[in-house]
Amino acid sequence: MSETIIEMKNVSFQYEYTQVLNDISFQVKEGDFLAILGPNGSGKSTLLKLLLGIIKPMAGEIKLFGQPNDSFREREWIGYVSQKSNAFNSGFPATVEEVVKSGLSKKVGLFKRMPKDAKERVHQTLKSVGMEKFSDRNIGQLSGGQQQRVFIARALISEPKVLILDEPTVGIDHENVQSFYDMLATLNKEQNITIILVTHDVDTVSNRISHVACLNQTIHFHGYKEDFDSISQEQLDKWQGHAVRKIH
Ligand code: ADP
């Protein structure tokens, strides 16, 4: 049996006047590849912020690797790539190698020395996202999809056990989205990295994921991808307000 590494139990959250999440309970196990679906404003980013410990729930409990979120210290086990990572303009003064190396500060502390093998680790990590040939390039000169791969490498260099991605394919050309998801599937299978992906591309990603969660203030469905496939479009529309379209 795989270990439960993320657990939310009866979690609720509201901003000053807006109830955003209501009685959320779900678990993620080691090795899962979970897609979180939901229309705009359904609370997806808020849910990720709760997991990352940026905000705290008003009610309920969050556990990471069996520990309460408040006392969880091994933050480097959780890599996060935001939606806005791939927005560097062509003048941004950092090479791909520098960007990826900066991810090591999470592990070694901001003012401590970089490990001697930092360069080799950057190379190996870039290789795992198919970007090793670009290490000397300026980050701003890469395409949106290439930049996003570099930011995944930056998250991966501190050897996380979980990778959380918030709509990572926004700004990536349609032709490159498939190979982007292939890369995530390889990280999931070959390095056993648990992946939590907020996405709208349910059809494109559907043959790579193991689990689906449908969020809209509460979790309407969380389960195996095969069980998600048997849910009717009509039911999904009720939960998701027409935000999720199944093609098959
Ligand atoms: P999603 O990521 O699914 O688009 P969010 O979690 O960003 O949804 O937002 C959920 C709801 O919370 C929205 O109604 C949004 O307007 C509101 N919201 C988000 N951030 C804040 C904030 N900092 N203060 C007040 N309301 C917010």
Side-chain angles (χ1 to χ4, degrees):
M1 276 278 284
S2 305
E3 190 193 349
T4 297
I5 55 178
I6 290 176
E7 191 175 7
M8 280 201 178
K9 231 188 206 168
N10 309 116
V11 167
S12 295
F13 181 84
Q14 66 181 74
Y15 293 106
E16 205 171 350
Y17 302 110
T18 329
Q19 179 81 23
V20 179
L21 297 172
N22 193 14
D23 202 20
I24 304 278
S25 297
F26 73 105
Q27 296 184 341
V28 179
K29 290 196 155 65
E30 188 186 3
D32 284 1
F33 189 158
L34 168 69
I36 300 179
L37 311 176
N40 287 335
S42 60
K44 303 181 299 294
S45 303
T46 304
L47 184 99
L48 298 189
K49 282 186 202 153
L50 285 165
L51 286 180
L52 295 165
I54 298 168
I55 53 177
K56 292 189 194 320
M58 272 81 197
E61 195 184 14
I62 301 174
K63 280 189 175 170
L64 302 174
F65 296 87
Q67 299 168 49
N69 203 346
D70 279 346
S71 52
F72 182 71
R73 295 282 166 267
E74 287 81 10
R75 291 282 160 194
E76 76 274 12
W77 289 0
I78 300 180
Y80 172 63
V81 179
S82 77
Q83 201 179 109
K84 297 188 189 76
S85 296
N86 56 349
F88 282 88
N89 65 37
S90 58
F92 193 81
T95 65
V96 166
E97 182 178 324
E98 286 162 353
V99 170
V100 177
K101 208 191 258 177
S102 69
L104 272 174
S105 62
K106 206 169 169 186
K107 198 158 180 128
V108 299
L110 206 48
F111 302 105
K112 299 207 185 102
R113 270 173 193 279
M114 282 287 164
K116 282 208 181 77
D117 64 348
K119 199 175 174 73
E120 177 56 21
R121 281 171 60 180
V122 170
H123 177 76
Q124 287 307 329
T125 313
L126 280 171
K127 212 167 165 185
S128 71
V129 298
M131 288 296 291
E132 71 278 16
K133 294 198 177 77
F134 295 84
S135 61
D136 295 331
R137 289 276 280 276
N138 195 300
I139 183 79
Q141 289 163 354
L142 303 180
S143 72
Q146 289 171 329
Q147 286 190 12
Q148 199 61 311
R149 283 174 185 249
V150 172
F151 282 98
I152 288 176
R154 182 180 187 273
L156 287 174
I157 200 157
S158 58
E159 297 174 337
K161 295 170 195 283
V162 186
L163 199 54
I164 296 180
L165 303 124
D166 192 355
E167 298 196 44
T169 56
V170 169
I172 300 185
D173 299 340
H174 189 69
E175 315 82 83
N176 293 320
V177 168
Q178 290 277 359
S179 67
F180 182 84
Y181 286 139
D182 284 341
M183 175 208 62
L184 290 184
T186 306
L187 292 173
N188 174 245
K189 289 225 164 56
E190 292 180 5
Q191 298 189 34
N192 199 32
I193 296 176
T194 306
I195 298 184
I196 299 177
L197 168 73
V198 165
T199 181
H200 286 293
D201 300 324
V202 65
D203 267 303
T204 321
V205 77
S206 74
N207 57 356
R208 281 94 165 178
I209 54 184
S210 63
H211 290 75
V212 178
C214 295
L215 180 73
N216 200 354
Q217 214 177 64
T218 193
I219 299 260
H220 291 285
F221 170 86
H222 174 236
Y224 288 109
K225 188 248 163 200
E226 292 72 20
D227 295 328
F228 171 77
D229 286 344
S230 58
I231 296 171
S232 69
Q233 182 67 54
E234 196 187 358
Q235 179 65 70
L236 266 181
D237 288 348
K238 277 190 196 146
W239 292 337
Q240 306 266 275
H242 305 274
V244 175
R245 306 248 44 98
K246 288 178 163 192
I247 291 170
H248 44 269

